[in-house]
Amino acid sequence: MFEDWSSFAVEVVEAVEAVEAVDSINAVAAIDLHVEVDTADGRRIGLERALRAAIRSGRLAPGTPLPSTRGLAAELGFARGTVTSAYDQLVAEGFLIARQGAATRVAELPGSVARDGSGSAPALARPRFDLSPGLPDVSAFPTAAWLRSTRRVLTTAAPVDVHGAGDPQGRLELRTTLAEHLGRTRGVLTTPDRIVITSGFYQSLGLLGSVLAETAGVRAVAMENPGHDTYRDVVRRTGHTIVPLPVDAAGARLERLADPAVGAVVLTPAHQYPTGVPLRPARRHEVCAWARASGGLIVEDDYDGEFRYDRRPIGALQGMAPEHVAYCGSVSKTLGPGLRLAWLALPRHLVEPVVRAKLHADWHTQGLGQLVLADLLARHDYDRHVRAMRLNYRRRRTHLIRRLTTEHPWAGAEFTGVPAGLHVLLTLPPNAPTEPELLSRAAAHGIALRGVRNLWHNAQAPTQGVLIGFAAPPLHTWPAAVEALTAVLGER
Amino acid sequence: MFEDWSSFAVEVVEAVEAVEAVDSINAVAAIDLHVEVDTADGRRIGLERALRAAIRSGRLAPGTPLPSTRGLAAELGFARGTVTSAYDQLVAEGFLIARQGAATRVAELPGSVARDGSGSAPALARPRFDLSPGLPDVSAFPTAAWLRSTRRVLTTAAPVDVHGAGDPQGRLELRTTLAEHLGRTRGVLTTPDRIVITSGFYQSLGLLGSVLAETAGVRAVAMENPGHDTYRDVVRRTGHTIVPLPVDAAGARLERLADPAVGAVVLTPAHQYPTGVPLRPARRHEVCAWARASGGLIVEDDYDGEFRYDRRPIGALQGMAPEHVAYCGSVSKTLGPGLRLAWLALPRHLVEPVVRAKLHADWHTQGLGQLVLADLLARHDYDRHVRAMRLNYRRRRTHLIRRLTTEHPWAGAEFTGVPAGLHVLLTLPPNAPTEPELLSRAAAHGIALRGVRNLWHNAQAPTQGVLIGFAAPPLHTWPAAVEALTAVLGER
């Protein structure tokens, strides 16, 4: 048995080498049936491709009889078996029809092939200065640490743990490290068995929406007004109506939670998006009391809670009511949104339904990224990066506000919110250009900004303003970005 | 301006170093309020944690007045400002209530904290021999090539392209490479602008189900019977009922597509799961004709189409009707399911709604993995790996069938299907043990197999059998796995 096996292994290696040798042969082209046979990948493959192309393009019409295999082989100078194999292949694929004792014919194909003139999609244009809110400076991504951890994971973990079928709840290594990390840095009170790893906040929100929709009677979710417009779409897609909660200087107003149809409320307690106000203590108590009394769920979107500049970050609301809050975090504001790595710290009763929804959504989040992040966390490379970026962003924010305040293009323009996060909201007074004017001016100068009009639930936005993200530009372009922005705001 | 800036940059670096220096200081513990203050992370932080823990645990009950900041500071030997800051922090977080002219008190917290005794989830147990169907040998994962490509991407691509906000449709580099690759290897006729990158087949199927549910009148999806049971759950979750299509020696029978409520059919044309039969040419034509006439969608799950052992793989059905087929592929059977990288080649009219559904599902698939895969494809490392594994798996399959046929434990047991894929279906005749008996015997020997009973849509499975995956065990354990399996099947 084992002797057989070792000879098999040798044969496998030899066969691989043989295939690779064949691949390097480039033969010349032959012509027939008005089709060109490119034999670079072998005669049979070339003939099949040529026939398929001719049939798809309509040059070989349905019902057309093909030459006999003997005749075509002679014409092409191929072995007859090559042509027979090619015909067999195309019969199996449905391009040709073979009947006993009759010529092989072209089959009828449904529809025609829509192929673009160009055949390729346009690349996304990047702005010269990306001042979109909510994006970190990914040029500072800890590439060396990430590569080190990737190498470590790929060379030390069991391949089946990295590349095999994964746990829909997420890798235990990452959940264990996160439970400690979130407790230490955000005051989140959780355990690894109550954490679910997801592929970003969009997915976290969608999974929760989907699970809530299965709960009897829950058909409405309360969300801050203004708030992130796409998140409303995500919740709507899971079958809910949205109840808007106005935002004042103390954060979201909670009166409308009294509506018994409301089964959940989505909040940004540390730093309301977009206004930048934190949810004040009385409101924190009020919403926890609502959850306790009604059985409703608080979805805490802690999207940039790591970044507070005037004091230590306020701990997560979750720490006050762990059995009533689904805490949502991610690496999108710390490392970059491209990684699509996020987490939920859940009340115990939601773990099982959320894990089932995750299985049905995408089975599990990619294993390699989870293990690399766990390694970065365990080695404190992650903490070091967050601390460095916090200092960096704090200085940028101070610099930006000082500069724009000094230039004060319009009396009455204000920056709202506390010193935190990755953006400021600049409100536009009546003497300023309108929001669309300002955005189009900025775009003309290669500056990406975002307006606030779409962030209100209905069309009548009470405020005009622009969101200025100060984190995304690489450090060396930041001074130029501020110059360009100042020039745009100062234009008459 | 620029002078200011360079001094700012220096300050940032110095500040980072200062933070790192502080982190390395370990101070001793102090005691008060029956709480231990661990000052390893600083006095204020330690005091805050100790107070939070005492409040959460109930040791400091709601309403309890705290000592004055002056008194506590003296007792602890801390600066008064430290205690004041800690109180302020906990007031902001809602743990304490401060009133002008009165003592600061402990706030009332909703609910109590549920913390596990253990605090950590159990690790997944791995079988000694994993003969589950559909899993590739991830111990052969091309680690060196993957690491090379990862390094190349991380050090040459713009960070914003790797880690920044991505395109919900997927990276253009990967879509471009895939369009060529799928055309060459699977006869898929598509262009980069009709490909959508997803996070695995579960997600591909869920996105299509979700988009179909938005189409007027579509509330039923036809699926093969038997077929993958979890995929039915995925489709059901998007709001559809499932219409079962019986499978015979020519593949799925299509009569029930005549039901006008059926808006789509999910098929495994290259290698029906689990029976292993391909969809014969007449059926391929029949289903394309149905799609053309009804406007229905064919979802082609080409889950292991790369692996055919007796001939070249049959081209994708998609090539016959690109405007009527949503072609689904992934790296799960070639590289490993842990990567969660997959693709859809779509009819043009579905691109925009599927991309919107993808945005709402998880924004986009992780950027780094997409770019690494594109690099592997472009350098043909991917092709080389697939060819090597094809030879390897072909030999394993032959070896397995020869061995089990020679031992023929039960007259009438049969292997169904063509030589392809990563599994065989062994049907169990009446003189054999029942399916559950056999699975539990196998489990007792550390062998993971899968039965077929759950694969039928209703409880009455007409066939008993076991699915034997021959690809997952690492090559060096394969002989022992076959020995173990033979022993289990031969048990009396």
Side-chain angles (χ1 to χ4, degrees):
Chain A
M1 177 67 214
F2 279 86
E3 274 173 322
D4 285 347
W5 186 252
S6 56
S7 69
F8 161 31
V10 169
E11 280 177 67
V12 167
V13 169
E14 285 169 352
V16 171
E17 285 165 356
V19 167
E20 290 177 349
V22 166
D23 277 5
S24 66
I25 296 173
N26 280 309
V28 292
I31 309 233
D32 196 69
L33 288 169
H34 305 292
V35 292
E36 298 211 11
V37 179
D38 177 347
T39 59
D41 291 321
R43 291 174 167 191
R44 187 178 66 170
I45 294 176
L47 177 57
E48 288 171 18
R49 275 193 208 141
L51 289 173
R52 265 193 222 102
I55 295 168
R56 281 171 178 153
S57 69
R59 280 187 290 134
L60 280 178
T64 308
L66 292 195
S68 68
T69 54
R70 182 190 304 268
L72 184 56
E75 231 171 291
L76 291 171
F78 289 3
R80 186 177 170 193
T82 304
V83 178
T84 309
S85 296
Y87 279 20
D88 287 352
Q89 178 72 20
L90 295 179
V91 168
E93 293 181 5
F95 285 95
L96 300 178
I97 295 169
R99 280 200 201 81
Q100 200 68 36
T104 299
R105 286 169 187 275
V106 175
E108 187 150 342
L109 294 185
S112 66
V113 169
R115 192 182 263 281
D116 258 0
S118 75
S120 66
L124 286 175
R126 300 270 181 203
R128 197 154 64 100
F129 299 116
D130 193 349
L131 300 180
S132 305
L135 296 176
D137 178 3
V138 292
S139 77
F141 186 86
T143 298
W146 188 271
L147 267 173
R148 262 198 313 275
S149 291
T150 302
R151 174 175 297 281
R152 198 175 290 126
V153 167
L154 285 178
T155 54
T156 63
V160 71
D161 285 339
V162 188
H163 309 297
D167 180 349
Q169 188 167 359
R171 294 292 316 169
L172 182 58
E173 295 88 335
L174 179 56
R175 289 186 282 122
T176 304
T177 327
L178 272 176
E180 183 278 325
H181 176 82
L182 295 176
R184 179 165 52 79
T185 62
R186 301 294 299 125
V188 171
L189 199 61
T190 190
T191 49
D193 59 315
R194 292 200 292 157
I195 291 180
V196 178
I197 306 300
T198 72
S199 305
F201 176 69
Y202 280 71
Q203 184 175 65
S204 294
L205 187 60
L207 295 177
L208 291 169
S210 169
V211 165
L212 285 166
E214 297 165 8
T215 308
V218 177
R219 284 294 170 272
V221 171
M223 298 181 80
E224 294 164 341
N225 185 22
H228 197 302
D229 46 342
T230 314
Y231 296 162
R232 294 197 291 271
D233 295 336
V234 170
V235 173
R236 275 195 204 101
R237 187 179 277 270
T238 62
H240 297 280
T241 57
I242 310 292
V243 174
L245 302 183
V247 174
D248 63 23
R253 299 181 58 97
L254 304 168
E255 290 85 352
R256 294 200 58 185
L257 297 187
D259 179 344
V262 174
V265 54
V266 183
L267 295 173
T268 49
H271 188 227
Q272 202 274 331
Y273 186 86
T275 61
V277 299
L279 192 67
R280 298 296 172 188
R283 296 267 171 89
R284 290 166 74 104
H285 277 277
E286 186 182 345
V287 72
C288 288
W290 165 80
R292 185 175 35 174
S294 69
L297 180 71
I298 301 167
V299 178
E300 178 173 21
D301 174 12
D302 193 33
Y303 67 107
D304 64 4
E306 297 88 350
F307 297 109
R308 180 84 191 239
Y309 308 121
D310 55 336
R311 52 173 296 156
R312 287 192 41 251
I314 294 181
L317 184 62
Q318 192 269 2
M320 298 185 70
E323 286 303 330
H324 300 277
V325 177
Y327 172 87
C328 309
S330 81
V331 303
S332 295
K333 306 292 185 281
T334 52
L335 293 173
L339 292 172
R340 308 317 294 140
L341 288 169
W343 45 84
L344 287 162
L346 293 171
R348 185 165 305 285
H349 72 280
L350 285 181
V351 173
E352 190 272 333
V354 168
V355 169
R356 197 175 54 231
K358 171 70 177 167
L359 168 68
H360 293 158
D362 63 359
W363 189 357
H364 60 85
T365 292
Q366 55 135 346
L368 180 58
Q370 290 189 62
L371 291 172
V372 171
L373 179 59
D375 196 67
L376 280 185
L377 280 162
R379 289 166 191 275
H380 300 291
D381 288 327
Y382 185 83
D383 283 351
R384 265 189 291 278
H385 181 69
V386 171
R387 279 200 305 274
M389 299 318 286
R390 189 184 294 129
L391 289 164
N392 181 329
Y393 297 154
R394 182 176 71 193
R395 293 305 301 266
R396 292 189 193 206
R397 184 179 182 280
T398 305
H399 173 230
L400 173 72
I401 290 185
R402 189 179 299 144
R403 186 67 198 273
L404 296 187
T405 312
T406 312
E407 305 265 331
H408 54 77
W410 319 293
E414 277 183 357
F415 294 101
T416 73
V418 294
L422 311 184
H423 74 273
V424 293
L425 168 54
L426 176 65
T427 59
L428 298 176
N431 61 324
T434 65
E435 187 178 311
E437 264 177 57
L438 203 53
L439 295 181
S440 91
R441 271 193 207 172
H445 286 75
I447 302 174
L449 289 178
R450 207 170 299 163
V452 298
R453 294 198 309 169
N454 296 336
L455 303 183
W456 269 271
H457 294 219
N458 51 28
Q460 273 88 42
T463 308
Q464 296 215 39
V466 287
L467 293 166
I468 306 170
F470 48 80
L475 198 55
H476 67 277
T477 70
W478 171 247
V482 175
E483 287 307 308
L485 177 66
T486 310
V488 164
L489 296 184
E491 265 181 22
R492 297 294 149 191
Chain B
M1 176 68 213
F2 280 87
E3 274 174 321
D4 286 346
W5 187 253
S6 56
S7 70
F8 161 29
V10 169
E11 280 177 66
V12 168
V13 170
E14 285 169 353
V16 171
E17 287 166 355
V19 167
E20 290 175 350
V22 166
D23 276 5
S24 65
I25 296 171
N26 280 309
V28 293
I31 308 232
D32 198 68
L33 288 170
H34 305 292
V35 292
E36 298 213 11
V37 179
D38 178 347
T39 58
D41 291 321
R43 291 174 165 191
R44 187 178 66 173
I45 293 177
L47 177 57
E48 286 170 19
R49 276 195 204 138
L51 289 173
R52 266 193 222 100
I55 295 168
R56 281 171 176 151
S57 69
R59 281 187 290 133
L60 279 178
T64 308
L66 291 195
S68 69
T69 53
R70 182 190 304 268
L72 184 56
E75 233 172 291
L76 291 171
F78 288 3
R80 186 177 172 192
T82 305
V83 178
T84 307
S85 297
Y87 279 19
D88 287 350
Q89 178 73 19
L90 295 177
V91 168
E93 294 179 7
F95 285 94
L96 300 178
I97 295 168
R99 280 199 203 83
Q100 198 71 34
T104 298
R105 287 169 186 272
V106 175
E108 188 150 342
L109 294 186
S112 67
V113 169
R115 191 183 264 278
D116 256 1
S118 76
S120 66
L124 286 175
R126 299 272 181 202
R128 197 154 62 101
F129 300 116
D130 193 348
L131 301 180
S132 306
L135 297 176
D137 178 4
V138 292
S139 77
F141 186 86
T143 298
W146 188 271
L147 267 172
R148 261 198 315 275
S149 291
T150 302
R151 175 175 297 280
R152 198 176 289 126
V153 168
L154 285 178
T155 54
T156 64
V160 71
D161 285 338
V162 188
H163 308 297
D167 181 349
Q169 187 167 359
R171 292 293 315 170
L172 182 59
E173 295 88 335
L174 179 56
R175 290 187 280 123
T176 303
T177 327
L178 272 176
E180 183 279 324
H181 176 82
L182 296 175
R184 179 164 52 78
T185 63
R186 302 294 300 124
V188 171
L189 199 60
T190 190
T191 49
D193 57 317
R194 292 200 290 156
I195 291 180
V196 178
I197 306 301
T198 72
S199 305
F201 177 69
Y202 280 71
Q203 184 174 66
S204 294
L205 187 59
L207 296 178
L208 291 169
S210 169
V211 166
L212 285 165
E214 297 165 7
T215 308
V218 177
R219 284 295 170 272
V221 172
M223 298 181 80
E224 294 165 340
N225 185 23
H228 198 302
D229 46 343
T230 314
Y231 296 162
R232 293 197 290 272
D233 296 336
V234 171
V235 174
R236 276 195 203 101
R237 187 179 277 270
T238 61
H240 297 280
T241 58
I242 310 293
V243 174
L245 301 183
V247 175
D248 63 23
R253 299 180 58 95
L254 304 167
E255 289 85 350
R256 295 199 58 185
L257 297 187
D259 179 345
V262 174
V265 55
V266 183
L267 295 173
T268 49
H271 188 228
Q272 202 274 332
Y273 186 87
T275 64
V277 299
L279 191 68
R280 298 295 171 189
R283 296 267 171 88
R284 290 167 74 104
H285 277 277
E286 188 183 342
V287 72
C288 288
W290 165 81
R292 186 176 33 176
S294 70
L297 181 71
I298 301 167
V299 179
E300 178 172 23
D301 175 12
D302 194 33
Y303 68 107
D304 64 5
E306 296 89 350
F307 297 109
R308 180 85 191 238
Y309 308 121
D310 55 337
R311 55 172 295 156
R312 288 192 42 250
I314 295 181
L317 183 63
Q318 192 269 0
M320 298 185 68
E323 286 303 330
H324 301 276
V325 177
Y327 171 89
C328 309
S330 81
V331 302
S332 295
K333 307 293 185 277
T334 52
L335 293 173
L339 292 171
R340 309 316 295 138
L341 288 170
W343 45 84
L344 288 162
L346 293 172
R348 184 165 306 284
H349 73 279
L350 286 180
V351 172
E352 190 272 332
V354 168
V355 169
R356 196 175 55 231
K358 171 70 178 167
L359 168 68
H360 292 158
D362 62 0
W363 189 358
H364 60 85
T365 293
Q366 55 135 343
L368 180 57
Q370 290 190 62
L371 291 172
V372 171
L373 179 59
D375 195 67
L376 279 187
L377 279 163
R379 289 166 191 275
H380 299 290
D381 289 326
Y382 185 84
D383 282 352
R384 264 190 291 279
H385 181 69
V386 171
R387 280 200 305 274
M389 299 318 286
R390 189 186 292 130
L391 290 163
N392 180 331
Y393 297 155
R394 182 177 71 193
R395 294 302 304 265
R396 293 189 192 207
R397 185 180 181 280
T398 305
H399 173 230
L400 173 71
I401 290 186
R402 190 179 298 144
R403 186 67 198 274
L404 296 187
T405 311
T406 313
E407 306 264 334
H408 53 79
W410 319 294
E414 278 182 355
F415 294 101
T416 74
V418 294
L422 310 184
H423 75 274
V424 293
L425 167 54
L426 176 65
T427 60
L428 298 175
N431 61 325
T434 63
E435 187 177 310
E437 266 175 57
L438 204 55
L439 295 181
S440 92
R441 272 193 206 171
H445 286 75
I447 302 174
L449 290 178
R450 207 171 299 163
V452 298
R453 293 198 311 169
N454 297 336
L455 304 184
W456 270 272
H457 293 219
N458 50 28
Q460 273 88 41
T463 308
Q464 297 216 37
V466 287
L467 292 167
I468 307 170
F470 49 79
L475 199 55
H476 67 276
T477 71
W478 171 248
V482 174
E483 287 307 309
L485 178 66
T486 310
V488 164
L489 297 183
E491 264 181 22
R492 298 292 150 192

